[in-house]
């Protein structure tokens, strides 16, 4: 799973495309920008690293292939959280990933 499979690519004007191409050229050959339509709300799945320190689960558990950190639907985020908690208890990875508290945080788009 890529992190973009729940997103819709944005329809851009030719002027916007030229702006993006110019910015990519300025940033260098290793950078590509992707334009997606913004949603009113996203849900982020995060793992607790320390008191008041939360990090995206795809960064905390890179050994779990296909894990996603962002969801457009709250039910899908809750289902993924349940799957991840079950996986962390019953996996056979070596070394076994540390089970951490997981939360779903609502991320609101303030640009609209």
């Amino acid at each position: 799973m890529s992190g973009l499979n729940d997103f819709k690519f944005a329809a851009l004007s030719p002027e916007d495309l030229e702006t993006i191409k110019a910015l990519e050229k300025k940033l260098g050959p290793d950078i590509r920008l992707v334009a997606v339509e913004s949603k009113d709300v996203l849900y982020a799945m995060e793992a607790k690293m320390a008191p008041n320190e939360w990090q995206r689960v795809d960064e905390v558990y890179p050994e779990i292939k296909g894990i996603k950190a962002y969801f457009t639907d709250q039910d899908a985020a809750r289902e993924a959280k349940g799957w991840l908690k079950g996986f962390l208890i019953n996996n056979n990875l070596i070394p076994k990933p540390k089970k951490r508290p997981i939360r779903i945080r609502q991320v609101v788009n303030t640009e609209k």
Side-chain angles (χ1 to χ4, degrees):
M1 274 186 257
S2 75
L4 296 176
N5 60 352
D6 283 344
F7 295 99
K8 182 178 176 186
F9 290 99
L12 299 174
S13 68
E15 296 82 24
D16 292 337
L17 286 174
E18 289 303 317
T19 302
I20 288 174
K21 286 179 184 177
L23 187 54
E24 284 180 337
K25 190 179 272 189
K26 181 180 178 183
L27 293 172
D30 296 333
I31 304 294
R32 293 292 172 255
L33 301 177
V34 177
V36 295
E37 287 187 12
S38 62
K39 301 281 185 182
D40 290 336
V41 176
L42 286 176
Y43 298 92
M45 188 165 48
E46 300 171 324
K48 188 173 188 177
M49 303 303 291
N52 295 322
E53 184 184 335
W54 295 84
Q55 204 172 14
R56 294 177 8 197
V57 293
D58 59 343
E59 294 175 352
V60 175
Y61 301 112
E63 64 274 15
I64 302 173
K65 302 292 183 218
I67 192 168
K68 266 178 45 175
Y70 292 102
F71 300 87
T72 56
D73 180 25
Q74 186 176 25
D75 292 334
R78 287 184 178 161
E79 186 177 319
K81 177 184 174 182
W83 174 87
L84 178 59
K85 289 172 76 176
F87 179 82
L88 291 172
I89 292 169
N90 299 312
N91 73 76
N92 56 1
L93 295 175
I94 298 175
K96 195 167 185 122
K98 181 177 180 184
K99 186 177 178 298
R100 299 176 179 277
I102 306 292
R103 75 174 181 184
I104 302 295
R105 181 175 58 92
Q106 184 175 344
V107 182
V108 179
N109 182 359
T110 58
E111 294 178 4
K112 287 190 174 188

